Amino acid sequence: MNGKPLTGVRVLDLSRLLPGPFCTLLLSDLGAEVIKIEDLESGDYIRAMAPFVDGQSAYFLALNPGKKSICLNLKAPAGKDIFLRLAATAGVVVESFRPGTVDRLGIGYRAVESVNPRIVYCSISGFGQDGPDRDRAGHDLDFVSRSGLLGLCGRPDGVPAIPPVQIADLSSAMYAAAGILAYLREAERTGKGRHLDVGMLDSALSWMIMPVAEYAAGER
């Protein structure tokens, strides 16, 4: 077999920092063409985070090898138009703004679906696209803590030990990638895409499956 499984699939990546870029890194490794859509001012925030290698963030370099990048002012009609024209040629869009932001910009799932019914549109957020906490901000440690996972780290009689890696960020990225692959297969079969809603708290909570099973069985 020639090429990788996702050769020929274009992914538009609106996300920043870790969860979305790690998701699209997985897709890129599988052969997808990933185009980062960055703003005109600073681009992906992680570009400014130390340590640096030859003037570039080591984190940015680790998360974005092989990806392409363009800068668009999505608040301007011209920027929105360019994005939608790109979306008409894509298989996947990944975004990680606060819920409702892409709709206000006119580049949400419904807008993209109108130009590309097969699009798989993935939204990664802290608490999901609906529910009472959808508009709350948060970081990885918030989600790991609220899931109960943090309380199991460290010694039973001591303070919790902060995990050395971003569990909620990375797990949500992996669930997003898995969902995207499933919905790409569905779009191939039905000709219809989907909107995939991935919450970082949900992702961290799913990793509690064994402790929750123990609790349900009467264990402490």
Side-chain angles (χ1 to χ4, degrees):
M1 179 183 296
N2 295 323
K4 295 183 178 181
L6 294 184
T7 296
V9 175
R10 173 172 285 176
V11 177
L12 303 184
D13 184 3
L14 289 161
S15 66
R16 301 168 182 180
L17 298 173
L18 179 54
F22 188 69
C23 168
T24 58
L25 174 63
L26 298 176
L27 301 179
S28 176
D29 287 344
L30 290 172
E33 176 197 29
V34 177
I35 304 176
K36 287 181 66 67
I37 311 293
E38 302 185 70
D39 63 55
L40 299 175
E41 296 178 2
S42 58
D44 188 341
Y45 308 136
I46 209 166
R47 286 181 179 272
M49 295 178 64
F52 296 97
V53 177
D54 295 330
Q56 297 190 71
S57 167
Y59 300 132
F60 182 86
L61 293 173
L63 287 167
N64 297 289
K67 299 179 185 178
K68 300 175 181 178
S69 178
I70 64 171
C71 292
L72 294 177
N73 179 3
L74 294 171
K75 295 180 181 179
K80 172 186 167 182
D81 179 64
I82 292 170
F83 175 81
L84 290 176
R85 280 191 280 144
L86 279 171
T89 70
V92 179
V93 171
V94 177
E95 66 93 5
S96 61
F97 294 112
R98 296 275 188 93
T101 299
V102 286
D103 291 326
R104 290 194 295 273
L105 291 171
I107 57 169
Y109 173 63
R110 294 302 177 194
V112 174
E113 181 194 32
S114 69
V115 299
N116 184 353
R118 295 172 63 97
I119 198 72
V120 176
Y121 197 108
C122 178
S123 297
I124 304 173
S125 62
F127 300 96
Q129 297 298 301
D130 52 31
D133 289 331
R134 56 165 278 178
D135 295 320
R136 290 178 64 98
H139 293 282
D140 180 85
L141 193 59
D142 300 312
F143 310 127
V144 172
S145 178
R146 290 188 61 167
S147 73
L149 199 156
L150 186 65
L152 301 181
C153 298
R155 297 184 180 276
D157 56 349
V159 298
I162 296 175
V165 297
Q166 295 83 358
I167 293 173
D169 286 2
L170 295 172
S171 63
S172 63
M174 296 176 76
Y175 283 127
I180 287 168
L181 294 176
Y183 285 154
L184 279 173
R185 176 68 183 93
E186 183 181 69
E188 183 181 77
R189 188 178 70 252
T190 67
K192 184 73 171 64
R194 290 234 192 184
H195 186 193
L196 176 61
D197 176 7
V198 178
M200 284 181 263
L201 175 58
D202 300 326
S203 301
L205 183 59
S206 75
W207 281 32
M208 289 287 286
I209 185 169
M210 301 302 277
V212 170
E214 293 171 1
Y215 181 79
E219 300 289 336
R220 182 175 178 180

